[in-house]
PDB file of all heavy atoms in Angstrom:
ATOM      1  N   ALA B 149       4.632  17.700  18.875  1.00  0.00           N
ATOM      2  CA  ALA B 149       5.114  18.092  17.545  1.00  0.00           C
ATOM      3  C   ALA B 149       5.472  16.857  16.718  1.00  0.00           C
ATOM      4  O   ALA B 149       5.135  16.752  15.534  1.00  0.00           O
ATOM      5  CB  ALA B 149       6.328  19.011  17.678  1.00  0.00           C
ATOM      6  N   ARG B 150       6.153  15.902  17.344  1.00  0.00           N
ATOM      7  CA  ARG B 150       6.522  14.681  16.617  1.00  0.00           C
ATOM      8  C   ARG B 150       5.280  13.838  16.279  1.00  0.00           C
ATOM      9  O   ARG B 150       5.195  13.260  15.203  1.00  0.00           O
ATOM     10  CB  ARG B 150       7.522  13.871  17.445  1.00  0.00           C
ATOM     11  CG  ARG B 150       7.861  12.542  16.817  1.00  0.00           C
ATOM     12  CD  ARG B 150       8.983  11.811  17.506  1.00  0.00           C
ATOM     13  NE  ARG B 150      10.237  12.006  16.773  1.00  0.00           N
ATOM     14  CZ  ARG B 150      11.318  11.233  16.955  1.00  0.00           C
ATOM     15  NH1 ARG B 150      11.316  10.270  17.845  1.00  0.00           N
ATOM     16  NH2 ARG B 150      12.398  11.449  16.241  1.00  0.00           N
ATOM     17  N   ARG B 151       4.321  13.768  17.188  1.00  0.00           N
ATOM     18  CA  ARG B 151       3.080  13.025  16.894  1.00  0.00           C
ATOM     19  C   ARG B 151       2.357  13.647  15.705  1.00  0.00           C
ATOM     20  O   ARG B 151       1.785  12.947  14.881  1.00  0.00           O
ATOM     21  CB  ARG B 151       2.151  12.987  18.115  1.00  0.00           C
ATOM     22  CG  ARG B 151       2.613  12.053  19.222  1.00  0.00           C
ATOM     23  CD  ARG B 151       1.459  11.590  20.130  1.00  0.00           C
ATOM     24  NE  ARG B 151       0.685  12.685  20.685  1.00  0.00           N
ATOM     25  CZ  ARG B 151       1.029  13.404  21.742  1.00  0.00           C
ATOM     26  NH1 ARG B 151       2.163  13.151  22.359  1.00  0.00           N
ATOM     27  NH2 ARG B 151       0.253  14.382  22.173  1.00  0.00           N
ATOM     28  N   ARG B 152       2.424  14.985  15.590  1.00  0.00           N
ATOM     29  CA  ARG B 152       1.774  15.650  14.472  1.00  0.00           C
ATOM     30  C   ARG B 152       2.482  15.283  13.159  1.00  0.00           C
ATOM     31  O   ARG B 152       1.846  15.024  12.152  1.00  0.00           O
ATOM     32  CB  ARG B 152       1.776  17.168  14.680  1.00  0.00           C
ATOM     33  CG  ARG B 152       0.675  17.890  13.944  1.00  0.00           C
ATOM     34  CD  ARG B 152       0.250  19.163  14.673  1.00  0.00           C
ATOM     35  NE  ARG B 152       1.417  19.914  15.138  1.00  0.00           N
ATOM     36  CZ  ARG B 152       1.482  20.547  16.319  1.00  0.00           C
ATOM     37  NH1 ARG B 152       0.456  20.533  17.132  1.00  0.00           N
ATOM     38  NH2 ARG B 152       2.563  21.206  16.656  1.00  0.00           N
ATOM     39  N   ARG B 153       3.826  15.242  13.188  1.00  0.00           N
ATOM     40  CA  ARG B 153       4.565  14.862  11.977  1.00  0.00           C
ATOM     41  C   ARG B 153       4.300  13.399  11.602  1.00  0.00           C
ATOM     42  O   ARG B 153       4.160  13.050  10.435  1.00  0.00           O
ATOM     43  CB  ARG B 153       6.062  15.122  12.168  1.00  0.00           C
ATOM     44  CG  ARG B 153       6.412  16.605  12.090  1.00  0.00           C
ATOM     45  CD  ARG B 153       7.918  16.839  12.040  1.00  0.00           C
ATOM     46  NE  ARG B 153       8.589  16.479  13.279  1.00  0.00           N
ATOM     47  CZ  ARG B 153       8.823  17.306  14.296  1.00  0.00           C
ATOM     48  NH1 ARG B 153       8.424  18.557  14.233  1.00  0.00           N
ATOM     49  NH2 ARG B 153       9.450  16.891  15.382  1.00  0.00           N
ATOM     50  N   LEU B 154       4.222  12.550  12.633  1.00  0.00           N
ATOM     51  CA  LEU B 154       3.842  11.151  12.385  1.00  0.00           C
ATOM     52  C   LEU B 154       2.478  11.071  11.715  1.00  0.00           C
ATOM     53  O   LEU B 154       2.258  10.271  10.804  1.00  0.00           O
ATOM     54  CB  LEU B 154       3.773  10.382  13.706  1.00  0.00           C
ATOM     55  CG  LEU B 154       5.058   9.771  14.234  1.00  0.00           C
ATOM     56  CD1 LEU B 154       4.846   9.313  15.669  1.00  0.00           C
ATOM     57  CD2 LEU B 154       5.482   8.596  13.353  1.00  0.00           C
ATOM     58  N   HIS B 155       1.565  11.891  12.210  1.00  0.00           N
ATOM     59  CA  HIS B 155       0.207  11.881  11.671  1.00  0.00           C
ATOM     60  C   HIS B 155       0.213  12.297  10.199  1.00  0.00           C
ATOM     61  O   HIS B 155      -0.447  11.681   9.369  1.00  0.00           O
ATOM     62  CB  HIS B 155      -0.699  12.796  12.501  1.00  0.00           C
ATOM     63  CG  HIS B 155      -2.161  12.638  12.177  1.00  0.00           C
ATOM     64  ND1 HIS B 155      -3.110  13.574  12.495  1.00  0.00           N
ATOM     65  CD2 HIS B 155      -2.823  11.647  11.526  1.00  0.00           C
ATOM     66  CE1 HIS B 155      -4.293  13.173  12.063  1.00  0.00           C
ATOM     67  NE2 HIS B 155      -4.154  11.997  11.476  1.00  0.00           N
ATOM     68  N   ILE B 156       0.985  13.342   9.855  1.00  0.00           N
ATOM     69  CA  ILE B 156       1.066  13.774   8.458  1.00  0.00           C
ATOM     70  C   ILE B 156       1.653  12.655   7.596  1.00  0.00           C
ATOM     71  O   ILE B 156       1.151  12.363   6.503  1.00  0.00           O
ATOM     72  CB  ILE B 156       1.926  15.051   8.321  1.00  0.00           C
ATOM     73  CG1 ILE B 156       1.293  16.203   9.094  1.00  0.00           C
ATOM     74  CG2 ILE B 156       2.075  15.430   6.853  1.00  0.00           C
ATOM     75  CD1 ILE B 156       2.085  17.496   9.009  1.00  0.00           C
ATOM     76  N   ALA B 157       2.723  12.023   8.080  1.00  0.00           N
ATOM     77  CA  ALA B 157       3.323  10.909   7.322  1.00  0.00           C
ATOM     78  C   ALA B 157       2.300   9.794   7.122  1.00  0.00           C
ATOM     79  O   ALA B 157       2.219   9.187   6.047  1.00  0.00           O
ATOM     80  CB  ALA B 157       4.563  10.389   8.040  1.00  0.00           C
ATOM     81  N   ALA B 158       1.496   9.541   8.151  1.00  0.00           N
ATOM     82  CA  ALA B 158       0.482   8.490   8.051  1.00  0.00           C
ATOM     83  C   ALA B 158      -0.643   8.891   7.092  1.00  0.00           C
ATOM     84  O   ALA B 158      -1.214   8.043   6.406  1.00  0.00           O
ATOM     85  CB  ALA B 158      -0.083   8.162   9.434  1.00  0.00           C
ATOM     86  N   VAL B 159      -0.950  10.181   7.019  1.00  0.00           N
ATOM     87  CA  VAL B 159      -1.970  10.646   6.067  1.00  0.00           C
ATOM     88  C   VAL B 159      -1.499  10.377   4.637  1.00  0.00           C
ATOM     89  O   VAL B 159      -2.244   9.831   3.814  1.00  0.00           O
ATOM     90  CB  VAL B 159      -2.291  12.149   6.274  1.00  0.00           C
ATOM     91  CG1 VAL B 159      -3.085  12.703   5.094  1.00  0.00           C
ATOM     92  CG2 VAL B 159      -3.087  12.341   7.563  1.00  0.00           C
ATOM     93  N   PHE B 160      -0.234  10.721   4.335  1.00  0.00           N
ATOM     94  CA  PHE B 160       0.304  10.436   3.002  1.00  0.00           C
ATOM     95  C   PHE B 160       0.383   8.920   2.769  1.00  0.00           C
ATOM     96  O   PHE B 160      -0.048   8.413   1.733  1.00  0.00           O
ATOM     97  CB  PHE B 160       1.704  11.065   2.827  1.00  0.00           C
ATOM     98  CG  PHE B 160       1.678  12.489   2.369  1.00  0.00           C
ATOM     99  CD1 PHE B 160       1.802  13.530   3.285  1.00  0.00           C
ATOM    100  CD2 PHE B 160       1.513  12.810   1.035  1.00  0.00           C
ATOM    101  CE1 PHE B 160       1.766  14.863   2.883  1.00  0.00           C
ATOM    102  CE2 PHE B 160       1.479  14.146   0.605  1.00  0.00           C
ATOM    103  CZ  PHE B 160       1.603  15.164   1.536  1.00  0.00           C
ATOM    104  N   GLY B 161       0.949   8.197   3.734  1.00  0.00           N
ATOM    105  CA  GLY B 161       1.254   6.778   3.525  1.00  0.00           C
ATOM    106  C   GLY B 161       0.050   5.865   3.622  1.00  0.00           C
ATOM    107  O   GLY B 161       0.076   4.745   3.104  1.00  0.00           O
TER     108      GLY B 161
END
Side-chain angles (χ1 to χ4, degrees):
Chain B
R150 175 172 260 196
R151 286 203 306 279
R152 205 151 44 219
R153 285 190 292 269
L154 274 168
H155 191 199
I156 298 180
V159 167
F160 274 98

